[in-house]
Amino acid sequence: MKVRAIFGGSFDPVHIGHLRMAVELAEALRLEQVSLMPCYTPVHKGGLAATPAQRLAMLELAVSDNPRLRIDRREMERSGPSFTYESLKMLREESDTPVLLVMGSDSALGLADWHKAEAFADFCHLVVLERPAVGLDAEVQGNWMRTAKELGFSQVRVADALESTTAGSVLPLRLNLLDVSSTYIRNAVKQNRSIRYLVTDAVERYICDNGLYTANLGGSPR
Ligand code: ATP
């Protein structure tokens, strides 16, 4: 499918849930590449534990051996608060190829509060992945789908529909996602528990070598 799939987040740290999600998404939508777009300063959550440079370094380690995964550095390069609106506007101006803004259902639930969210339907399609920790029930889906529709997105049921227009559709996707979060990993490190297999070996080494997450936890346990 000829689209640009963008998956934004804080990646503090990037974990196997993010990576598997990107791979499953690429397979489900027949995408050549999925871009992970780390924010510089998050707008929707409190302070992060690792620095922007450290979060980017971990992402680079995590995706370096997978040509299907790439990093979109625009929010890191822009610095300051990372408004998705600004990134979508830039992406739209770069090319007419449809942009898929991919997010977990936990993020989609709060979409109405994002800066200039009412403009998103002009810039991108939305692909929402039902995340295990948020629940798979119809009520949760109803909530974020209602928000997306209020923001001007129209629901489509098949992925191919995302190729025929440049923006304005929302596709719910149920993939085989892993119930892992960055919060869980930060807590595990803080409590001196193993994070082996939850992040790639290189990321685990980086966290250990740089003494990350041993104090000042960010986020709430999931
Ligand atoms: P935190 O625990 O710090 O809130 P997180 O694990 O949710 O972090 P983020 O970097 O904030 O990770 O997430 C970025 C995006 O990745 C969000 O859209 C989120 O829904 C999605 N995401 C996070 N973890 C998973 C997972 N295990 N499977 C699928 N998507 C995920």
Side-chain angles (χ1 to χ4, degrees):
M1 200 151 92
K2 198 164 180 308
V3 293
R4 292 171 288 167
I6 307 283
F7 173 38
S10 42
F11 303 107
D12 187 23
V14 60
H15 52 70
I16 56 163
H18 297 129
L19 300 172
R20 277 302 307 170
M21 184 279 239
V23 169
E24 292 243 353
L25 180 81
E27 285 177 347
L29 301 188
R30 302 183 318 278
L31 307 175
E32 266 174 40
Q33 280 198 320
V34 173
S35 296
L36 307 181
M37 183 172 70
C39 66
Y40 183 80
T41 303
V43 185
H44 312 289
K45 47 167 103 168
L48 301 178
T51 66
Q54 288 169 331
R55 290 183 290 113
L56 183 58
M58 289 188 279
L59 262 176
E60 282 166 349
L61 289 170
V63 307
S64 64
D65 61 350
N66 189 343
R68 228 169 176 184
L69 306 185
R70 63 176 290 274
I71 303 172
D72 187 316
R73 294 174 174 75
R74 73 186 66 230
E75 294 189 346
M76 285 285 174
E77 286 161 3
R78 212 163 59 224
S79 71
S82 298
F83 292 115
T84 304
Y85 168 82
E86 302 291 346
S87 307
L88 291 174
K89 198 157 153 262
M90 285 171 75
L91 284 157
R92 181 75 293 133
E93 284 163 5
E94 280 165 20
S95 127
D96 282 340
T97 306
V99 171
L100 308 189
L101 182 64
V102 184
M103 62 181 70
S105 45
D106 56 324
S107 300
L109 276 172
L111 195 60
D113 297 329
W114 292 27
H115 179 65
K116 297 196 183 175
E118 62 287 352
F120 284 19
D122 294 331
F123 294 142
C124 67
H125 296 307
L126 209 55
V127 175
V128 179
L129 308 174
E130 293 167 348
R131 205 170 155 193
V134 184
L136 297 173
D137 55 71
E139 192 187 326
V140 172
Q141 178 175 337
N143 287 340
W144 64 253
M145 184 57 84
R146 198 171 321 114
T147 302
K149 287 181 177 169
E150 282 165 9
L151 292 171
F153 289 95
S154 310
Q155 183 174 359
V156 292
R157 293 182 196 280
V158 289
D160 287 345
L162 302 175
E163 235 178 344
S164 56
T165 53
T166 47
S169 298
V170 54
L171 176 75
L173 256 195
R174 190 166 284 201
L175 301 178
N176 185 24
L177 300 183
L178 303 174
D179 192 3
V180 183
S181 70
S182 300
T183 303
Y184 181 88
I185 289 161
R186 293 193 302 272
N187 281 324
V189 175
K190 166 92 174 163
Q191 292 159 8
N192 218 8
R193 288 185 286 118
S194 169
I195 55 168
R196 193 155 187 209
Y197 311 129
L198 295 177
V199 295
T200 67
D201 289 349
V203 170
E204 183 190 11
R205 218 170 303 120
Y206 185 94
I207 289 171
C208 183
D209 290 349
N210 291 276
L212 296 184
Y213 308 127
T214 49
N216 300 325
L217 290 184
S220 51
R222 240 193 217 111

